[in-house]
Amino acid sequence: MGHLHNRNIIIGVTGGIAAYKIAELIRLLRGDGAAVRVIMSRGAQAFVTPLTLQSLSGHPVHTELLDETAEMGMGHIELARWADAFLVAPATADAVARLAAGRADDLLTTAALATPAPLFVAPAMNQQMWNNAATSANIQTLTNRGVNIIGPDAGEQACGDVGAGRLTEPADIRAEISAHFPNRALEGKRVVITAGPTREPLDPVRYLSNHSSGKMGFALAQAAAEAGAETILIAGPVMLDTPDGVTRVNIETAGQMHEACMEQIHESTDLFVGSAAVADYRAEFNAPQKIKKVGDTLNLSLIRNPDIITEVAKSTHRPSLVVGFAAETEHLMEHAEAKRVAKGLDVVVANDVSRADIGFNSDTNMVTWLDNAGHEVIPLTTKQNLARLLIARCSKRLSSTSDSDDKIPAKMEGDR
Ligand code: PMT
């Protein structure tokens, strides 16, 4: 988990029954050493008084866009600039729509538009409203813009309905914001990450490959470096810049990736993350000259590539934590769990790649973390944010394995 000490956090509260939970959230954030300022919409004030949140945050609550006294103290632009993180919680369906539309007709939306800080939105609304196509489109718009959507949780709702739309619990909101501020939890650790596709040549001009862009793996490398790890990124052919502080090893084929991984895995490697989409097969013969067009069919003979992550997991210098990804188009959980066991992995990150918004080449992703204690869905978010969450989980797991051999149980889906 990251750290919030000395971080400035704005919470924009909008008018939903879950507004009362913000009192607890402020308490948690301040307990972590963060400074909190609150903006309340008019609707929010019908559920919780500004005085309550003022007492808890230790600062007057901001409510009006055009307020002479506020502008003399901290005006809306100063407020927006002050923030290291800007959270809207609970975010009603209306607030989500207004943020997606880029409205700026009240203090909350204006400050959200004016802030350079990362924006977090924790929706809370009736399940029917959450499932409405209009809300889904607004959430997608915000996600595409890099806004971090937190939750919502599913369960019984204040209106009596049951379904998704409950505000994520304050402790979990804190964890998501916290993960955004790396605490150098991997300082002194060595991490090897694979990313992107491999290319298996057929002849001098053709190859077998897949749609991996490397975005997921590069985001993981960035998050690991931000967390203080010595980070080695073994990358297939992709068009991405190397993240700061990361050592990049470029490869083309699965054979080269295998060799590079084995070179990089030694006794001081703590974590291996295989996010690369490695070709399972290569052409048995790589034709020395361009294959000529003869006949209506062409038969290629393919042979198996080495399974890199399996080799890593059984190597004598096995890292303490070996994390694989499973890209699946059907039976996600069964196939992912089968891979975790067959390949000797501690964790598998199951990725449903049948959807365009969460798999190959997308900017966003949604995965399921799966280990020997259970599984947990990590909801749709940017690949950068997901990478931070995954790296935070890995570092937690690494510190628990070094404290004891006990594994941290993953929360079961539906636990929240
Ligand atoms: O790169 P992006 O466009 O951002 O897309 C991200 C992603 C979809 C590629 C990523 O999220 C993902 O799911 N990566 C795993 C892709 C994959 O090939 O999965 P798999 O189920 O075929 O392989 C399972 C695991 O074994 C993976 O950790 C893979 O790296 C590893 N493997 C597979 C074959 C092989 N010969 N050697 C391996 O190490």
Side-chain angles (χ1 to χ4, degrees), residues 194 196 211-216 274-280 305-309 324-328 339 343 351 353 359-362 365 383:
T194 66
H211 295 295
S212 173
S213 62
K215 288 177 190 170
M216 191 68 247
S275 74
V278 186
D280 287 320
N305 276 325
D307 196 290
I308 300 166
I309 206 164
F325 272 67
E328 305 296 342
K339 277 181 187 166
K343 294 178 186 239
N351 198 162
V353 292
F360 290 105
N361 202 22
S362 57
N365 207 355
K383 282 185 175 168

Short mmCIF file of all heavy atoms in Angstrom, two decimals, residues 194 196 211-216 274-280 305-309 324-328 339 343 351 353 359-362 365 383, ligand 1:
data_model
loop_
_atom_site.label_atom_id
_atom_site.label_comp_id
_atom_site.label_asym_id
_atom_site.label_seq_id
_atom_site.Cartn_x
_atom_site.Cartn_y
_atom_site.Cartn_z
N THR A 194 7.96 -9.26 -17.94
CA THR A 194 7.94 -9.40 -19.40
C THR A 194 6.72 -8.67 -19.94
O THR A 194 5.69 -8.57 -19.27
CB THR A 194 7.86 -10.88 -19.84
OG1 THR A 194 6.60 -11.43 -19.42
CG2 THR A 194 9.01 -11.69 -19.26
N GLY A 196 4.56 -7.27 -23.80
CA GLY A 196 4.42 -7.22 -25.26
C GLY A 196 4.33 -8.59 -25.89
O GLY A 196 4.27 -9.61 -25.21
N HIS A 211 -1.75 -9.54 -30.73
CA HIS A 211 -2.10 -8.11 -30.66
C HIS A 211 -1.55 -7.39 -29.43
O HIS A 211 -1.96 -6.25 -29.17
CB HIS A 211 -3.61 -7.95 -30.69
CG HIS A 211 -4.23 -8.41 -31.97
ND1 HIS A 211 -3.98 -7.78 -33.16
CD2 HIS A 211 -5.06 -9.44 -32.24
CE1 HIS A 211 -4.66 -8.40 -34.13
NE2 HIS A 211 -5.31 -9.42 -33.59
N SER A 212 -0.70 -8.01 -28.66
CA SER A 212 -0.24 -7.33 -27.44
C SER A 212 0.52 -6.05 -27.79
O SER A 212 1.42 -6.04 -28.62
CB SER A 212 0.67 -8.27 -26.63
OG SER A 212 1.23 -7.56 -25.55
N SER A 213 0.14 -4.97 -27.07
CA SER A 213 0.77 -3.66 -27.31
C SER A 213 1.90 -3.40 -26.33
O SER A 213 2.66 -2.45 -26.49
CB SER A 213 -0.29 -2.57 -27.12
OG SER A 213 -0.75 -2.60 -25.76
N GLY A 214 1.93 -4.18 -25.24
CA GLY A 214 2.93 -3.95 -24.19
C GLY A 214 2.46 -2.97 -23.13
O GLY A 214 3.15 -2.76 -22.13
N LYS A 215 1.26 -2.37 -23.32
CA LYS A 215 0.81 -1.31 -22.38
C LYS A 215 0.73 -1.83 -20.93
O LYS A 215 1.14 -1.15 -20.00
CB LYS A 215 -0.55 -0.75 -22.80
CG LYS A 215 -0.48 0.12 -24.04
CD LYS A 215 -1.88 0.56 -24.45
CE LYS A 215 -1.86 1.23 -25.82
NZ LYS A 215 -3.22 1.46 -26.35
N MET A 216 0.17 -3.05 -20.78
CA MET A 216 0.00 -3.58 -19.42
C MET A 216 1.37 -3.81 -18.76
O MET A 216 1.60 -3.41 -17.62
CB MET A 216 -0.80 -4.89 -19.50
CG MET A 216 -1.27 -5.44 -18.18
SD MET A 216 -2.53 -4.40 -17.41
CE MET A 216 -1.68 -3.80 -15.98
N GLY A 274 4.95 -12.18 -15.45
CA GLY A 274 4.89 -12.52 -16.87
C GLY A 274 3.62 -11.95 -17.49
O GLY A 274 2.59 -12.61 -17.49
N SER A 275 3.72 -10.73 -18.00
CA SER A 275 2.52 -10.16 -18.65
C SER A 275 2.64 -10.25 -20.17
O SER A 275 1.73 -9.85 -20.90
CB SER A 275 2.29 -8.72 -18.21
OG SER A 275 3.23 -7.87 -18.81
N ALA A 276 3.77 -10.75 -20.65
CA ALA A 276 3.95 -10.86 -22.11
C ALA A 276 3.02 -11.90 -22.70
O ALA A 276 2.68 -12.90 -22.06
CB ALA A 276 5.40 -11.23 -22.42
N ALA A 277 2.62 -11.64 -23.94
CA ALA A 277 1.85 -12.63 -24.69
C ALA A 277 2.86 -13.39 -25.56
O ALA A 277 3.20 -12.97 -26.67
CB ALA A 277 0.79 -11.94 -25.54
N VAL A 278 3.36 -14.47 -24.98
CA VAL A 278 4.43 -15.23 -25.63
C VAL A 278 3.80 -16.21 -26.63
O VAL A 278 2.84 -16.91 -26.27
CB VAL A 278 5.22 -16.04 -24.58
CG1 VAL A 278 6.42 -16.73 -25.22
CG2 VAL A 278 5.65 -15.16 -23.42
N ALA A 279 4.33 -16.27 -27.83
CA ALA A 279 3.80 -17.23 -28.81
C ALA A 279 4.09 -18.65 -28.31
O ALA A 279 5.22 -18.96 -27.94
CB ALA A 279 4.47 -17.00 -30.16
N ASP A 280 3.05 -19.47 -28.28
CA ASP A 280 3.24 -20.84 -27.79
C ASP A 280 3.98 -21.70 -28.81
O ASP A 280 4.62 -22.67 -28.45
CB ASP A 280 1.87 -21.47 -27.50
CG ASP A 280 1.25 -20.88 -26.24
OD1 ASP A 280 2.01 -20.66 -25.27
OD2 ASP A 280 0.03 -20.60 -26.23
N ASN A 305 7.15 -23.62 -28.26
CA ASN A 305 8.19 -22.80 -27.64
C ASN A 305 8.34 -23.21 -26.18
O ASN A 305 7.40 -23.77 -25.60
CB ASN A 305 7.79 -21.32 -27.71
CG ASN A 305 8.16 -20.69 -29.04
OD1 ASN A 305 9.18 -21.04 -29.62
ND2 ASN A 305 7.33 -19.78 -29.52
N PRO A 306 9.46 -22.90 -25.58
CA PRO A 306 9.57 -23.18 -24.14
C PRO A 306 8.54 -22.34 -23.38
O PRO A 306 8.23 -21.22 -23.79
CB PRO A 306 10.99 -22.72 -23.79
CG PRO A 306 11.44 -21.87 -24.92
CD PRO A 306 10.65 -22.28 -26.13
N ASP A 307 8.01 -22.90 -22.30
CA ASP A 307 7.10 -22.11 -21.46
C ASP A 307 7.96 -21.36 -20.45
O ASP A 307 8.46 -21.93 -19.47
CB ASP A 307 6.07 -23.00 -20.76
CG ASP A 307 4.93 -22.15 -20.24
OD1 ASP A 307 5.15 -21.38 -19.27
OD2 ASP A 307 3.84 -22.19 -20.81
N ILE A 308 8.13 -20.08 -20.70
CA ILE A 308 9.12 -19.29 -19.95
C ILE A 308 8.80 -19.23 -18.47
O ILE A 308 9.64 -19.49 -17.61
CB ILE A 308 9.20 -17.86 -20.54
CG1 ILE A 308 9.61 -17.92 -22.01
CG2 ILE A 308 10.17 -17.00 -19.74
CD1 ILE A 308 9.41 -16.63 -22.78
N ILE A 309 7.55 -18.91 -18.16
CA ILE A 309 7.20 -18.69 -16.75
C ILE A 309 7.29 -20.00 -15.96
O ILE A 309 7.65 -20.00 -14.78
CB ILE A 309 5.83 -18.00 -16.62
CG1 ILE A 309 5.77 -17.22 -15.30
CG2 ILE A 309 4.68 -18.96 -16.77
CD1 ILE A 309 4.66 -16.21 -15.23
N GLY A 324 1.82 -14.79 -12.97
CA GLY A 324 1.54 -14.90 -14.40
C GLY A 324 0.24 -14.20 -14.75
O GLY A 324 -0.55 -13.87 -13.87
N PHE A 325 0.04 -13.98 -16.01
CA PHE A 325 -1.25 -13.50 -16.50
C PHE A 325 -1.88 -14.66 -17.27
O PHE A 325 -1.16 -15.50 -17.82
CB PHE A 325 -1.07 -12.31 -17.46
CG PHE A 325 -1.03 -10.97 -16.78
CD1 PHE A 325 0.02 -10.64 -15.93
CD2 PHE A 325 -2.03 -10.04 -16.99
CE1 PHE A 325 0.06 -9.40 -15.31
CE2 PHE A 325 -2.01 -8.80 -16.37
CZ PHE A 325 -0.96 -8.48 -15.53
N ALA A 326 -3.20 -14.70 -17.32
CA ALA A 326 -3.87 -15.67 -18.18
C ALA A 326 -4.82 -14.90 -19.08
O ALA A 326 -5.77 -14.29 -18.59
CB ALA A 326 -4.62 -16.69 -17.35
N ALA A 327 -4.52 -14.90 -20.37
CA ALA A 327 -5.40 -14.22 -21.33
C ALA A 327 -6.36 -15.26 -21.87
O ALA A 327 -5.94 -16.23 -22.51
CB ALA A 327 -4.56 -13.63 -22.46
N GLU A 328 -7.64 -15.08 -21.59
CA GLU A 328 -8.64 -16.10 -21.96
C GLU A 328 -9.80 -15.47 -22.71
O GLU A 328 -10.15 -14.31 -22.45
CB GLU A 328 -9.19 -16.79 -20.70
CG GLU A 328 -8.13 -17.41 -19.80
CD GLU A 328 -7.35 -18.55 -20.45
OE1 GLU A 328 -7.84 -19.10 -21.46
OE2 GLU A 328 -6.26 -18.88 -19.96
N LYS A 339 -3.95 -22.86 -15.23
CA LYS A 339 -2.61 -22.37 -15.59
C LYS A 339 -1.77 -22.10 -14.34
O LYS A 339 -0.58 -22.37 -14.31
CB LYS A 339 -2.71 -21.07 -16.42
CG LYS A 339 -2.96 -21.35 -17.88
CD LYS A 339 -3.03 -20.09 -18.72
CE LYS A 339 -3.46 -20.50 -20.14
NZ LYS A 339 -3.87 -19.40 -20.97
N LYS A 343 1.60 -24.25 -14.12
CA LYS A 343 2.85 -23.53 -14.32
C LYS A 343 3.59 -23.26 -13.01
O LYS A 343 4.66 -22.65 -13.02
CB LYS A 343 2.58 -22.21 -15.06
CG LYS A 343 2.08 -22.42 -16.50
CD LYS A 343 1.78 -21.09 -17.20
CE LYS A 343 1.15 -21.33 -18.56
NZ LYS A 343 1.91 -20.75 -19.67
N ASN A 351 -7.30 -12.38 -17.27
CA ASN A 351 -7.68 -11.27 -18.15
C ASN A 351 -8.60 -11.79 -19.26
O ASN A 351 -8.16 -12.57 -20.11
CB ASN A 351 -6.40 -10.66 -18.73
CG ASN A 351 -6.58 -9.25 -19.30
OD1 ASN A 351 -5.61 -8.54 -19.49
ND2 ASN A 351 -7.79 -8.83 -19.54
N VAL A 353 -9.85 -11.51 -22.47
CA VAL A 353 -9.45 -10.73 -23.64
C VAL A 353 -10.47 -10.80 -24.78
O VAL A 353 -10.20 -10.36 -25.88
CB VAL A 353 -8.04 -11.15 -24.14
CG1 VAL A 353 -6.98 -10.76 -23.14
CG2 VAL A 353 -7.98 -12.64 -24.45
N GLY A 359 -8.50 -5.85 -22.82
CA GLY A 359 -7.48 -6.85 -23.15
C GLY A 359 -6.35 -6.27 -23.95
O GLY A 359 -5.70 -5.31 -23.55
N PHE A 360 -6.12 -6.87 -25.09
CA PHE A 360 -5.03 -6.45 -25.95
C PHE A 360 -5.22 -5.01 -26.43
O PHE A 360 -6.30 -4.64 -26.91
CB PHE A 360 -4.95 -7.36 -27.19
CG PHE A 360 -4.49 -8.75 -26.86
CD1 PHE A 360 -5.37 -9.82 -26.83
CD2 PHE A 360 -3.15 -9.00 -26.59
CE1 PHE A 360 -4.93 -11.10 -26.53
CE2 PHE A 360 -2.70 -10.28 -26.28
CZ PHE A 360 -3.60 -11.33 -26.26
N ASN A 361 -4.19 -4.23 -26.27
CA ASN A 361 -4.10 -2.87 -26.85
C ASN A 361 -5.06 -1.85 -26.26
O ASN A 361 -5.06 -0.70 -26.70
CB ASN A 361 -4.28 -2.94 -28.38
CG ASN A 361 -3.68 -1.72 -29.03
OD1 ASN A 361 -2.82 -1.06 -28.45
ND2 ASN A 361 -4.15 -1.38 -30.21
N SER A 362 -5.87 -2.22 -25.29
CA SER A 362 -6.78 -1.23 -24.69
C SER A 362 -6.00 -0.37 -23.70
O SER A 362 -4.92 -0.76 -23.24
CB SER A 362 -7.90 -1.95 -23.95
OG SER A 362 -7.33 -2.80 -22.97
N ASN A 365 -8.30 -1.82 -18.25
CA ASN A 365 -8.33 -3.26 -18.04
C ASN A 365 -9.13 -3.60 -16.80
O ASN A 365 -9.32 -2.75 -15.91
CB ASN A 365 -6.89 -3.81 -17.92
CG ASN A 365 -6.78 -5.25 -18.35
OD1 ASN A 365 -7.79 -5.91 -18.65
ND2 ASN A 365 -5.58 -5.79 -18.39
N LYS A 383 -4.84 1.05 -17.27
CA LYS A 383 -3.78 0.06 -17.06
C LYS A 383 -2.74 0.60 -16.06
O LYS A 383 -2.17 -0.16 -15.28
CB LYS A 383 -3.14 -0.33 -18.39
CG LYS A 383 -4.02 -1.34 -19.15
CD LYS A 383 -3.42 -1.87 -20.43
CE LYS A 383 -4.36 -2.95 -21.01
NZ LYS A 383 -4.05 -3.36 -22.38
O1 PMT B 1 0.06 -5.83 -23.99
P1 PMT B 1 -1.36 -5.27 -23.87
O2 PMT B 1 -1.90 -4.86 -25.21
O3 PMT B 1 -1.46 -4.19 -22.84
O4 PMT B 1 -2.31 -6.46 -23.41
C1 PMT B 1 -2.15 -7.01 -22.14
C2 PMT B 1 -2.30 -8.54 -22.17
C3 PMT B 1 -3.68 -8.93 -22.62
C4 PMT B 1 -1.25 -9.14 -23.13
C5 PMT B 1 -2.00 -9.03 -20.71
O5 PMT B 1 -2.92 -8.47 -19.83
C6 PMT B 1 -2.07 -10.55 -20.62
O6 PMT B 1 -3.13 -11.13 -20.40
N1 PMT B 1 -0.90 -11.21 -20.75
C7 PMT B 1 -0.78 -12.68 -20.85
C8 PMT B 1 -0.93 -13.08 -22.28
C9 PMT B 1 -0.78 -14.57 -22.50
O7 PMT B 1 -0.10 -14.94 -23.40
O8 PMT B 1 -1.39 -15.35 -21.66
P2 PMT B 1 -1.36 -16.97 -21.71
O9 PMT B 1 -2.60 -17.35 -21.00
O10 PMT B 1 -1.16 -17.46 -23.08
O11 PMT B 1 -0.09 -17.33 -20.86
C10 PMT B 1 -0.12 -17.58 -19.47
C11 PMT B 1 1.16 -17.11 -18.82
O12 PMT B 1 2.26 -17.88 -19.32
C12 PMT B 1 1.53 -15.66 -19.09
O13 PMT B 1 2.08 -15.14 -17.90
C13 PMT B 1 2.54 -15.74 -20.20
O14 PMT B 1 3.45 -14.64 -20.16
C14 PMT B 1 3.24 -17.04 -19.86
N2 PMT B 1 3.81 -17.77 -21.01
C15 PMT B 1 3.02 -18.23 -22.02
C16 PMT B 1 3.57 -18.97 -23.03
C17 PMT B 1 4.96 -19.23 -23.03
N3 PMT B 1 5.53 -19.93 -24.02
N4 PMT B 1 5.72 -18.77 -22.04
C18 PMT B 1 5.17 -18.04 -21.03
O15 PMT B 1 5.89 -17.62 -20.12
#
